[in-house]
Amino acid sequence: MAKKKLSFEEAMERMEAIVEQLEQEEAPLETVVALYKEGLGLSAYCMEKLTAAEGEIVLLRKEAGLWQEEPFQAEE
């Protein structure tokens, strides 16, 4: 995949496509390894985007006087 700036949503869509390909179990080993590597990179990219968004929300809440000291709880 060419190196370009992806949106969070585009990265998630590409990861979903990679998972579908890997679940088919019909790809050669070299392809599987390349897809896995790409997926790891996309995962790191998405985590970075989520962390940045969380930080921005915390900053906005502080500026609005809505800040309370409590850890961020992700839905499971």
Side-chain angles (χ1 to χ4, degrees):
M1 184 169 212
K3 294 279 184 183
K4 68 171 194 156
K5 290 286 184 183
L6 296 176
S7 69
F8 176 81
E9 292 78 10
E10 290 170 330
M12 289 296 295
E13 286 176 16
R14 178 62 187 144
M15 280 197 300
E16 289 174 9
I18 289 171
V19 168
E20 287 178 20
Q21 282 183 277
L22 292 173
E23 286 177 343
Q24 291 177 3
E25 299 180 23
E26 296 176 9
L29 180 61
E30 293 81 14
T31 302
V32 169
V33 171
L35 289 170
Y36 185 78
K37 182 178 179 180
E38 182 182 354
L40 285 177
L42 289 167
S43 176
Y45 174 78
C46 287
M47 288 302 297
E48 182 180 304
K49 287 286 201 181
L50 288 172
T51 300
E54 180 183 353
E56 188 173 349
I57 289 170
V58 167
L59 181 62
L60 290 170
R61 288 181 55 86
K62 282 182 179 179
E63 289 174 354
L66 302 172
W67 177 249
Q68 296 176 359
E69 282 292 329
E70 52 186 65
F72 180 76
Q73 297 291 324
E75 289 185 30
E76 293 185 22

